């Protein structure tokens, strides 16, 4: 499985996408800094404590990484179907269901890992530079951090599942716009009040996993 | 006899329309099998069923003597193919394309990458991106990819489409090399009858989804014996001599300079001698070869075989 994933990464030039994720992290850090100094000039404290600061970072990371994961879904599955390179994949000595399963796992893992790692990296940066910049004047304690980290892990899993939801819609005609629009709708949803509702997100994530399962089953019997 | 491909009553139906009906064919080990048929006759669908891309509605496929099902993926490592047109990744170079293909196929022999690029004449384009390739080069790269893992069976769907005459001649040589040196079995579909005639050992002709003929080329050529073509400057005068001197009546004047004798009781030599003796200019006298094109056209029109 890991060998297959490595080949997929090489074939689809996923290094480029990862570079994009890194750039996005830098932009998010820049935004946080801008917000902090803008509020400071208004004599408002933007981030009273670490919880608010980390939550703000996380609220930027979540929709951004969902969008990146949508792009990965397009590259790994939708584009291959549209360009008919999928039929080449299906002539390799691997069953169709495995090909599709591995690709879906990659999408899920990418959503999860980019969210978790981006939070870890951005969080580490702000905590490390805090003594110099002074984002937060309040105390730093490990229990805040571990509580936050738990939430990030759960959100990572949720977003990973959600990212698969557009697959079912996308494979109907292997349509890139349909896939990206569905992803964009989910991104917008994350930015509304519904994005804070765990039941809503968990349901969407479960629907995403079911959608992926149905999509794999559909492709399994599809005439290419 | 070992058959590499054997289908039994293979049928594919899309809705009401039967695109492949009851096809039973046999491809022998080590031969070049020419698969002929008009556009939309069902050639590609059959090739897709042999590669697991399309599921048959009914019927069976045996590959390498083994029943072929959706889960027989291990067999796929013994097959190289181009179906419809070579589907390539534009952002990869030619070498990367082959390297990745080998990796996915689980084939480890890096020397075969250069070998197959050389065989198809792309040795200088290895580092070029596929998106910059012409149609002919893509076709060649598709073939290089199909053969890079040294498969036992090569399925090629219209492999010479889009190639220039020189490249077509090269390909003919490549196919022969693959058959003779590597012992591959080649299953080639094509519209270009002249090419198939030059390379195939057996041909299968498909019409409206049904296999109307499967015949070895030697059997096809044997059908041609008996007919003699005479080329002269005056076919009418020659006809009179043939009738009066040789008592040949079963002939046809094809045009004013050519006539064709069916079931000739005398040899070409005798005919030439008599014509020359009666002062009729003879340009050439030869046994007519029954061409694949003629045969194909007869099969397409549904007519009986006239030789």
């Amino acid at each position: 499985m890991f060998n297959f994933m490595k080949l997929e990464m090489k074939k689809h030039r996923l290094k480029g996408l990862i570079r994009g994720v890194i750039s996005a992290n830098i932009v998010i850090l820049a935004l946080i800094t801008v917000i902090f100094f803008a509020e400071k000039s208004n004599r408002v404290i933007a981030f009273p404590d670490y919880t608010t600061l980390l939550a703000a970072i996380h609220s930027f990371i979540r929709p951004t990484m969902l969008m990146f994961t949508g792009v990965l879904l397009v590259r790994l599955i939708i584009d291959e179907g549209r360009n008919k390179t999928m039929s080449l994949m299906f002539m390799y000595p691997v069953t169709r269901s495995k090909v599709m399963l591995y690709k879906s796992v990659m999408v899920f893992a990418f959503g999860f890992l980019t969210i978790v790692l981006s939070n870890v990296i951005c969080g580490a940066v702000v905590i490390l530079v805090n003594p110099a910049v002074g984002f937060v004047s309040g105390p730093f304690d490990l229990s805040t951090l571990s509580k936050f980290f738990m939430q990030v892990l759960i959100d990572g899993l949720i977003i990973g599942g959600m990212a698969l939801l557009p697959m079912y819609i996308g494979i109907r005609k292997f349509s890139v716009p349909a896939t990206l629009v569905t992803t964009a709708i989910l991104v917008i949803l994350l930015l509304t009040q519904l994005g804070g509702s765990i039941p809503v997100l968990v349901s969407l994530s479960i629907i995403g996993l079911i959608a992926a399962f149905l999509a794999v089953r559909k492709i399994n019997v599809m005439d290419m | 006899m070992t058959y590499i491909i054997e289908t039994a009553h293979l049928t594919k139906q899309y809705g009401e329309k039967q695109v492949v009906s009851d096809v039973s064919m046999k491809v022998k080990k080590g031969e070049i099998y020419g698969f002929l048929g008009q556009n939309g006759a069902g050639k590609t669908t059959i090739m897709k069923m042999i590669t697991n891309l399309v599921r048959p509605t009914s019927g069976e496929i045996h590959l390498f003597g083994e029943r072929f099902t959706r889960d027989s993926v291990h067999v796929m490592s013994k097959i190289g193919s181009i179906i419809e047109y070579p589907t390539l990744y534009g952002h990869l170079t030619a070498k990367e394309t082959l390297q990745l293909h080998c990796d996915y196929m689980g084939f480890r022999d890096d020397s075969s990458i250069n070998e197959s690029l050389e065989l198809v004449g792309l040795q200088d384009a290895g580092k070029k991106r596929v998106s910059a390739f012409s149609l002919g080069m893509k076709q060649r790269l598709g073939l290089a990819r199909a053969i890079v893992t040294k498969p036992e069976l090569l399925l090629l769907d219209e492999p010479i489409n889009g190639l220039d005459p020189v490249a077509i001649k090269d390909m003919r040589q490549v196919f022969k090399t693959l058959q003779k040196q590597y012992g591959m079995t080649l299953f080639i579909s094509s519209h270009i009858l002249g090419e198939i005639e030059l390379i195939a050992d057996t041909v299968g002709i498909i019409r409206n989804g049904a296999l109307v003929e499967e015949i070895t080329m030697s059997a096809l050529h044997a059908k041609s014996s008996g007919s003699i073509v005479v080329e002269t400057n005056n076919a009418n005068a020659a006809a009179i001599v043939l009738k009066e001197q040789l008592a040949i009546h079963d002939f046809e004047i094809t045009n004013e300079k050519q006539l064709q004798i069916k079931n000739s009781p005398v040899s070409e030599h005798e005919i030439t001698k008599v014509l020359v003796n009666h002062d009729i200019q003879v340009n050439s006298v030869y046994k007519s070869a029954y061409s694949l094109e003629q045969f194909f056209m007869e099969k397409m029109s549904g007519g009986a075989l006239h030789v």
Side-chain angles (χ1 to χ4, degrees):
Chain A
M1 179 165 92
F2 290 108
N3 192 31
F4 181 92
M5 289 180 179
K6 223 165 70 188
L7 290 174
E8 285 288 289
M9 284 184 72
K10 206 164 123 191
K11 188 175 73 185
H12 289 290
R13 297 263 150 95
L14 295 189
K15 276 184 192 157
L17 200 62
I18 291 165
R19 269 197 290 273
V21 169
I22 293 167
S23 315
N25 274 321
I26 295 167
V27 171
I28 288 168
L29 284 171
L31 275 172
I32 291 290
T33 316
V34 168
I35 291 169
F36 170 71
F37 283 110
E39 296 286 74
K40 199 175 173 186
S41 68
N42 292 335
R43 294 169 194 287
V44 179
I45 297 164
F47 310 112
D49 50 31
Y50 276 104
T51 313
T52 7
L53 174 61
L54 293 174
I57 292 171
H58 182 49
S59 68
F60 280 120
I61 287 175
R62 235 175 30 161
T64 312
M65 297 313 148
L66 178 58
M67 204 64 226
F68 272 108
T69 314
V71 173
L72 180 73
L73 172 69
V74 165
R75 286 217 205 154
L76 284 184
I77 296 170
I78 311 300
D79 261 351
E80 290 234 45
R82 204 180 46 133
N83 300 333
K84 302 223 168 190
T85 46
M86 193 70 98
S87 47
L88 179 72
M89 302 277 338
F90 291 164
M91 285 189 276
Y92 288 137
V94 186
T95 57
R96 276 193 197 194
S97 32
K98 272 190 187 155
V99 170
M100 294 310 298
L101 176 73
Y102 296 163
K103 281 174 179 270
S104 310
V105 169
M106 280 178 83
V107 173
F108 181 91
F110 186 85
F112 174 75
L113 287 175
T114 50
I115 284 177
V116 172
L117 293 178
S118 297
N119 269 297
V120 168
I121 291 163
C122 290
V125 169
V126 292
I127 289 166
L128 284 175
V129 302
N130 195 48
V133 185
F135 284 121
V136 179
S137 48
F140 171 78
D141 66 290
L142 227 57
S143 75
T144 314
L145 201 66
S146 61
K147 220 171 99 189
F148 174 72
F149 194 66
M150 276 310 293
Q151 197 203 326
V152 166
L153 282 181
I154 291 165
D155 268 17
L157 292 173
I158 290 173
I159 302 291
M162 273 172 76
L164 287 168
L165 202 154
M167 184 164 143
Y168 188 72
I169 291 147
I171 64 149
R172 284 169 171 261
K173 283 179 179 159
F174 290 114
S175 156
V176 174
T179 315
L180 289 180
V181 166
T182 316
T183 310
I185 291 169
L186 293 175
V187 167
I188 292 165
L189 194 135
L190 275 184
L191 298 171
T192 64
Q193 272 195 332
L194 283 175
S197 155
I198 291 291
V200 171
L201 296 185
V202 170
S203 326
L204 281 173
S205 186
I206 291 169
I207 293 172
L209 292 174
I210 294 169
F213 172 75
L214 292 175
V216 171
R217 223 177 51 168
K218 198 168 168 177
I219 287 185
N220 226 356
V221 295
M222 205 183 260
D223 284 338
M224 301 301 290
Chain B
M1 181 60 70
T2 324
Y3 295 114
I4 295 291
I5 304 174
E6 205 177 343
T7 71
H9 311 292
L10 196 61
T11 300
K12 178 69 193 180
Q13 195 149 355
Y14 287 111
E16 291 285 288
K17 198 172 183 299
Q18 209 166 61
V19 291
V20 174
S21 356
D22 200 30
V23 169
S24 300
M25 57 182 190
K26 291 183 167 88
V27 178
K28 292 183 217 92
K29 186 177 165 59
E31 74 173 347
I32 295 183
Y33 189 102
F35 195 38
L36 311 172
Q38 286 170 296
N39 285 326
K43 298 190 299 288
T44 300
T45 309
I46 290 176
M47 295 179 86
K48 282 184 169 181
M49 286 194 277
I50 296 171
T51 46
N52 237 344
L53 294 179
V54 167
R55 183 178 278 193
T57 309
S58 62
E60 284 183 15
I61 300 170
H62 283 81
L63 293 181
F64 306 98
E66 208 180 295
R67 174 86 195 266
F68 187 61
T69 66
R70 183 127 274 187
D71 297 318
S72 337
V73 286
H74 58 283
V75 176
M76 301 310 288
S77 55
K78 293 199 260 182
I79 302 175
S81 62
I82 307 180
I83 308 287
E84 274 184 316
Y85 50 85
T87 48
L88 300 158
Y89 297 92
H91 61 274
L92 299 177
T93 67
K95 267 196 177 163
E96 284 172 330
T97 302
L98 299 189
Q99 181 66 60
L100 272 166
H101 183 73
C102 288
D103 290 342
Y104 278 105
M105 288 291 256
F107 180 83
R108 313 238 168 279
D109 177 9
D110 287 347
S111 68
S112 81
I113 291 175
N114 286 327
E115 196 184 329
S116 65
L117 281 176
E118 227 162 88
L119 205 56
V120 300
L122 282 180
Q123 60 274 28
D124 300 324
K127 288 183 178 150
K128 207 169 154 183
R129 275 180 188 236
V130 172
S131 51
F133 275 28
S134 68
L135 176 64
M137 287 170 83
K138 283 183 183 165
Q139 205 55 276
R140 284 161 183 253
L141 181 60
L143 181 63
R145 183 175 61 190
I147 61 177
V148 69
T149 58
K150 304 216 167 73
E152 289 173 47
L153 170 63
L154 200 52
L155 293 162
L156 304 173
D157 193 6
E158 307 283 351
I160 46 184
N161 270 10
L163 295 182
D164 60 62
V166 178
I168 288 179
K169 194 162 169 276
D170 288 349
M171 284 304 126
R172 195 188 305 153
Q173 204 50 51
V174 171
F175 296 151
K176 283 285 183 195
T177 307
L178 293 171
Q179 181 193 25
K180 297 273 181 291
Q181 277 186 22
Y182 298 93
M184 287 184 195
T185 306
L186 282 81
F187 185 87
I188 302 175
S189 83
S190 184
H191 293 131
I192 306 170
L193 300 169
E195 272 312 306
I196 294 296
E197 179 150 37
L198 288 173
I199 55 172
D201 301 304
T202 303
V203 292
I205 298 178
I206 185 164
R207 191 173 100 192
N208 298 331
L211 189 72
V212 291
E213 187 71 56
E214 190 172 71
I215 185 171
T216 62
M217 285 306 283
S218 49
L220 176 63
H221 287 139
K223 283 181 190 287
S224 63
S225 57
S227 186
I228 292 174
V229 178
V230 177
E231 281 177 13
T232 158
N233 62 338
N234 189 343
N236 287 317
I240 295 166
V241 173
L242 290 177
K243 264 192 230 168
E244 289 178 356
Q245 303 299 321
L246 291 166
I248 296 172
H249 300 285
D250 190 8
F251 63 79
E252 189 187 341
I253 298 175
T254 9
N255 60 52
E256 59 184 25
K257 290 189 169 176
Q258 193 195 64
L259 53 82
Q260 196 162 358
I261 306 162
K262 285 166 191 166
N263 305 315
S264 173
V266 292
S267 70
E268 295 107 294
H269 174 71
E270 195 67 21
I271 292 168
T272 314
K273 203 167 78 184
V274 171
L275 288 174
V276 170
N277 282 343
H278 286 80
D279 202 23
I280 287 170
Q281 187 185 324
V282 176
N283 297 328
S284 77
V285 175
Y286 55 86
K287 275 211 169 105
S288 93
Y290 189 52
S291 76
L292 181 57
E293 184 175 299
Q294 250 174 307
F295 184 68
F296 180 76
M297 290 306 168
E298 278 166 15
K299 288 292 160 190
M300 283 302 117
S301 60
L305 207 58
H306 315 285
V307 179

